[in-house]
Amino acid sequence: MKISFLIHTVYGIGGTIRTTLNLAGELANRHEVEIVSVFQHRDTAAFAIDPRITVVPLVDTRPDSPGNDLENPLFSQPSKAFPHAEARYKEYSQLVDERVRAHYADSDADIVVGTRPGLVAYVAQFAPPGAVRVGQEHMTHNHHKGALREEMYEHLDAIDAFVTVSEGDAAVWRDKLPLPTTRVLSIPNSVPEPAVAPSDGTGRTVVAAGRLSAEKQYHVLLDAFAKVAAVRPDWVLRIYGSGDQRERLRARIDELALYNQVHLMGAHSPIEPEWAKGAIAVSTSRHESFGMTLVEAMRCGVPMVSTDCDYGPREIIQDGVDGLLVPVGDVTAIAQGLLRLIDDEGLRRGMAKAAADNARRFDPGVVTKQYEALFAELVEDASRRETGPGIAPVADVVVAGDGEVTVTLATPLPEGLEQGATLVCTRTGVQSDVRTFEFDGGGAARIPAGEVFPEGQWNLFVEMATTKVRGRVTARVIDQRGAMHAAQRPAGGGPVHNLVPYEDKAKGSALMLRAWSRPVHAEADDVRLDGMRITLTGSLYGAATVSDAPSLLLRRRGKPAGELSFAGEKKGEHGFRFTFTPVEAVAAQLTAHDVWDLLVRYAPNSKPVKIGKVLDDVVMKKDIYSYPRIVRPKRRTGSLVRAMVKRALRKRPPQVRVRVYYTVSNDLALNVVDL
C-alpha cells in the first residue's frame, strides 16, 4: 500500500511529529510511505527521518529560500477549506488549500491520514476518490472548542476511520458525537526502544519533561518538590522543556529557595539520555491525551509518578506496579508519591524493571500492526463497496403535509430479488435501533405520519428478503415540502416530532433521514438584533404551557459551568418573547471562545428546554440562517494611566465578537469570541 501522512510541519519539534515519524518509519518496512508537510520553515528537520520516507513540503516559509511563498498573493488570503475554529486557522490560507488539493489530485495513495483537526478536514475534502481516509486525534474531545467540534462533524462523518490515542477519549467521541459510518477507535502512540542503556536507578535525580505550559502544572510540581526537599535535601529535580511559563517557574523556584535543587534544563533532543539519568520520573499534567513522556521514561527503565488525569496516564501506568497515580493538582499526594519511591529503593527498582517490561507494548512494531490491521480492513471494506456483490437502489422520496414519508424505488432491483424487499432504517451510532417498512407492488415504502423516530440521523437501506443483502439507498429526487408544515401538525399532547429526508453528498448522495423528537419543544420563530439588543420570539409545542413569566437561560458549555437568566413575557396562547443583551455573557467570558446554549424555562418549576428551529424542511440551519455579528470592546481593566498609554500608542482596545447561531442539532447558541 501507499500511505500518505498529512502533517502541519515535519520540520519542528513536538509529540505529533515524533509519533508520526515512528509510525511512518515502521510502515516503511513493508509499504510506500510519504509525509506531506504543509509548511517548511527550516532547511532540515529537527528529528531524524527514515530515508525510505518521501517528504513532500507544500508551502515554503523560509525567509531566505529561493522558493519562498510568503509573497504569493494567495498566502495572505484566508483559507476556505480549513475549519475557522481550529487553533491554527490564521496560519492557513488559500495557497495552502490549493497546494493540498493539487497534491492529492495527482496522488495514487491508498491511505491518507490527517494528523490534526484541520488536516482531517483537508483529508475529507481533498483525498483521492479511491483512497481510504483516516483522521487522527492527538488531543482529546474535551480539549477542543464546541465550535470546532461542530465544524468538524461533516468532515468526520465523511472519513472512514477516526483514531484517538486513548480508549477513554474514543468512548467520549462515540458518545458525544456519534458517527454513522466512521469507525471510531483508539490506537496508542508508539515509542521506540531507546538507544541508551536503561537507568541504573542509583542516582538521586527526579526528571520531568514537556512544554513549560500551564496545562503541565509545573508550579504544582515545584510546590510538591519543596516538601520533598525539606526532608530529602540530597535529591534534585530536573525539568526539561521550553515554553512561556519559564520565567514564572524561575521566579517560583527562587521564591521557594529551591535554586540548588531544581534546575530548568531547557529543551533536549533526543531526550532518552536525560531520562536515563533519573531514578524517578514525574508528570503533574492537568490533562494528557496520551502521555508520550510517560512511555519514554518507562522505556528507559524509570518509574513514573503521574497525576491520574484524562486520559492517557491511567491507560499507560499500572498503579503500584510500574508507577504511581496520584490526584490531579494534589501537592501533598505528589510529594508523598515521590517520597515513597525515594525512601524504598527495593520498590523503586522493582517498578523500574516493570516499567521497562510493560512499556514494550508501545513499541512501534506492536503499534504499527494495529494500524496495518485497520488499514487492511478499511481497504477491504472500500473494495467490497465498489466491486462486491450487492445492490445499489436509487429512490425518490416525498414528505406529505401530515408528515408521512414515501420512499419509491426509481430503478428496478435485480431480477429475482424484487420480491419481499424492505426499507431498513438504522440510527447513527445505535446499530440496534432499526425500523423496517415493506415495499408494495409499486416499489413504494411508506413511513406513517405517526411513526416517531428517536432524534438523530438515520441511514436508509433496501434489504432483500431472500439473501438479506442490503444496499444503501441513493437519492434521486427529494420532495421535502410537507416538512414545511411540521409546526402546524397537531401534537395531541405527545412528543413533538419531524422527519426530514435529505441527500448526504459526503456519502455518495446517500438518502438519509433527520429526525427530531422531543416531549416539549421551544421553536425559535424570530431573532432580531438592534445594536446590542437581541429579541427572541418563539412558540412552545408539546405537553406544556407557557406561564405568564417565562425565563431565558444562557448556559455555558464546559467547565466551570455558568448560567445567566433573563425575564421574558408570554405572547398569545403558546408563545414567548425575550429581549436581552449579551453584556453579561461577555463579562463572564472565561476562554477565547465561549459557547452559551439558549434554553427556556416556560414555567417556574419546569425543566428548561433548548430553543431551536426544527419544525420545517431545512436539515442544517447553521449555514442558512445567519444573523449579524455584534462586535464590542471587552471590559476595560487596569488603571487610567494604562488606558491613556494604550490610546497614545494607538492600540486598538481588545474586542470580542458575539454571534447568535444554530448548532448542528439546530438549537440556538450564543458565541463569544476574542478578536
Side-chain angles (χ1 to χ4, degrees):
M1 293 186 288
K2 181 175 180 179
I3 303 163
S4 176
F5 291 91
L6 181 61
I7 194 168
H8 177 71
T9 179
V10 78
Y11 296 89
I13 295 176
T16 299
I17 300 171
R18 278 186 295 162
T19 193
T20 299
L21 289 173
N22 291 341
L23 177 59
E26 188 68 26
L27 287 169
N29 291 326
R30 293 169 292 280
H31 308 282
E32 181 182 353
V33 180
E34 71 172 9
I35 294 178
V36 179
S37 180
V38 172
F39 297 105
Q40 180 177 6
H41 65 284
R42 55 191 295 177
D43 294 337
T44 57
F47 295 126
I49 300 178
D50 191 311
R52 297 172 299 175
I53 299 171
T54 301
V55 175
V56 183
L58 298 181
V59 177
D60 191 344
T61 59
R62 294 172 293 172
D64 299 325
S65 169
N68 180 285
D69 287 308
L70 297 176
E71 299 303 319
N72 189 307
L74 289 178
F75 187 84
S76 61
Q77 299 299 312
S79 168
K80 294 182 178 180
F82 200 82
H84 286 66
E86 230 266 28
R88 292 192 178 272
Y89 172 73
K90 291 184 179 179
E91 300 175 50
Y92 281 73
S93 64
Q94 290 181 31
L95 179 63
V96 178
D97 295 350
E98 290 304 316
R99 295 281 171 85
V100 175
R101 181 187 289 109
H103 175 78
Y104 286 113
D106 295 330
S107 174
D108 59 348
D110 300 294
I111 309 282
V112 182
V113 183
T115 56
R116 63 174 298 119
L119 301 183
V120 174
Y122 273 160
V123 169
Q125 296 169 85
F126 302 142
V132 166
R133 306 173 185 201
V134 177
Q136 288 181 331
E137 176 55 82
H138 290 279
M139 299 302 293
T140 67
H141 175 279
N142 296 333
H143 173 85
H144 298 307
K145 304 170 185 175
L148 177 60
R149 294 195 294 265
E150 290 180 10
E151 253 190 298
M152 286 299 298
Y153 183 84
E154 63 179 302
H155 304 302
L156 295 177
D157 195 36
I159 62 177
D160 297 285
F162 186 56
V163 183
T164 69
V165 291
S166 72
E167 179 52 35
D169 189 41
V172 173
W173 279 102
R174 288 192 290 262
D175 178 55
K176 301 293 186 182
L177 199 72
L179 300 163
T181 56
T182 302
R183 292 185 58 180
V184 180
L185 70 159
S186 69
I187 299 177
N189 285 335
S190 65
V191 176
E193 183 179 0
V196 297
S199 168
D200 60 14
T202 60
R204 297 179 184 276
T205 301
V206 177
V207 179
R211 295 184 312 280
L212 304 185
S213 59
E215 66 185 24
K216 299 297 182 182
Q217 296 200 120
Y218 285 121
H219 62 286
V220 174
L221 174 57
L222 294 179
D223 290 349
F225 199 77
K227 293 179 178 290
V228 173
V231 293
R232 297 292 179 265
D234 53 338
W235 280 73
V236 299
L237 169 64
R238 290 184 172 185
I239 301 175
Y240 293 86
S242 59
D244 59 11
Q245 296 286 303
R246 183 180 179 86
E247 293 308 314
R248 180 189 175 196
L249 296 175
R250 179 78 268 162
R252 185 60 177 158
I253 290 169
D254 294 345
E255 183 182 348
L256 294 170
L258 291 175
Y259 37 78
N260 288 316
Q261 290 148 302
V262 179
H263 307 291
L264 301 179
M265 306 296 292
H268 276 247
S269 181
I271 190 66
E272 288 78 10
E274 308 309 313
W275 287 121
K277 295 175 184 177
I280 302 169
V282 62
S283 172
T284 52
S285 293
R286 183 167 51 233
H287 67 80
E288 287 282 359
S289 55
F290 177 64
M292 288 283 286
T293 57
L294 278 66
V295 181
E296 289 171 347
M298 292 169 67
R299 295 225 68 177
C300 290
V302 185
M304 171 71 70
V305 176
S306 172
T307 47
D308 186 19
C309 59
D310 293 336
Y311 293 96
R314 67 179 65 115
E315 296 184 20
I316 295 172
I317 294 172
Q318 296 182 48
D319 187 31
V321 177
D322 51 20
L324 299 175
L325 294 173
V326 296
V328 175
D330 191 327
V331 170
T332 299
I334 295 166
Q336 289 174 344
L338 291 171
L339 286 170
R340 181 181 173 190
L341 293 182
I342 287 172
D343 292 341
D344 191 335
E345 184 177 353
L347 176 66
R348 188 169 75 242
R349 288 183 178 276
M351 283 192 175
K353 183 180 185 305
D357 291 341
N358 293 345
R360 291 193 181 102
R361 70 186 189 276
F362 300 106
D363 188 84
V366 176
V367 172
T368 301
K369 286 181 181 178
Q370 297 178 56
Y371 266 105
E372 285 185 301
L374 173 65
F375 291 164
E377 291 173 10
L378 294 175
V379 168
E380 183 179 351
D381 287 347
S383 176
R384 187 183 302 117
R385 287 196 300 267
E386 293 175 6
T387 62
I391 57 173
V394 178
D396 298 332
V397 60
V398 175
V399 183
D402 63 356
E404 182 180 78
V405 177
T406 302
V407 178
T408 304
L409 295 174
T411 56
L413 297 172
E415 188 175 351
L417 296 179
E418 67 274 10
Q419 296 299 319
T422 56
L423 177 69
V424 178
C425 309
T426 64
R427 184 153 59 112
T428 357
V430 188
Q431 297 301 321
S432 59
D433 202 346
V434 179
R435 306 293 173 91
T436 60
F437 305 91
E438 298 289 336
F439 282 99
D440 61 22
R446 291 174 174 80
I447 302 174
E451 186 80 20
V452 178
F453 280 60
E455 188 157 325
Q457 293 175 308
W458 290 75
N459 307 279
L460 271 63
F461 303 90
V462 172
E463 182 174 283
M464 301 297 98
T466 53
T467 64
K468 299 302 179 183
V469 170
R470 284 186 185 178
R472 181 182 284 277
V473 180
T474 298
R476 190 176 74 167
V477 177
I478 302 178
D479 187 345
Q480 303 167 318
R481 280 175 292 176
M484 299 173 72
H485 304 291
Q488 282 76 51
R489 297 174 197 151
V496 180
H497 61 92
N498 193 18
L499 193 63
V500 185
Y502 68 99
E503 177 185 2
D504 190 335
K505 294 185 185 303
K507 295 186 177 70
S509 295
L511 179 60
M512 303 282 292
L513 295 174
R514 181 61 168 97
W516 284 276
S517 179
R518 301 174 180 183
V520 179
H521 170 63
E523 180 81 354
D525 296 327
D526 188 71
V527 179
R528 300 279 174 176
L529 281 81
D530 181 10
M532 284 294 295
R533 188 170 59 185
I534 301 172
T535 300
L536 169 61
T537 305
S539 301
L540 193 70
Y541 294 84
T545 303
V546 180
S547 73
D548 291 332
S551 299
L552 172 69
L553 303 181
L554 269 61
R555 285 184 177 173
R556 180 172 40 223
R557 295 185 191 174
K559 296 180 180 179
E563 184 172 283
L564 304 173
S565 180
F566 303 91
E569 59 181 322
K570 181 176 181 179
K571 298 295 292 182
E573 186 178 356
H574 302 291
F576 54 82
R577 181 167 67 189
F578 302 103
T579 299
F580 67 102
T581 71
V583 172
E584 291 181 54
V586 173
Q589 185 183 10
L590 292 180
T591 71
H593 194 288
D594 276 7
V595 176
W596 299 79
D597 290 309
L598 275 63
L599 303 92
V600 61
R601 178 175 277 123
Y602 51 87
N605 297 317
S606 66
K607 181 181 179 181
V609 295
K610 288 186 176 181
I611 302 173
K613 199 171 186 67
V614 305
L615 299 180
D616 62 16
D617 60 317
V618 181
V619 172
M620 184 68 74
K621 302 291 194 303
K622 69 186 186 76
D623 295 327
I624 306 298
Y625 289 76
S626 180
Y627 303 112
R629 272 68 163 169
I630 299 171
V631 177
R632 63 167 280 124
K634 297 185 75 170
R635 290 187 305 168
R636 291 188 180 275
T637 57
S639 69
L640 178 62
V641 173
R642 285 202 298 272
M644 292 174 65
V645 169
K646 285 182 178 179
R647 283 197 296 270
L649 294 175
R650 295 182 179 177
K651 289 185 177 179
R652 189 183 72 178
Q655 292 182 314
V656 293
R657 183 192 69 203
V658 180
R659 178 171 68 104
V660 178
Y661 71 102
Y662 287 98
T663 68
V664 292
S665 57
N666 286 0
D667 294 311
L668 270 179
L670 187 141
N671 184 207
V672 181
V673 183
D674 284 343
L675 294 179

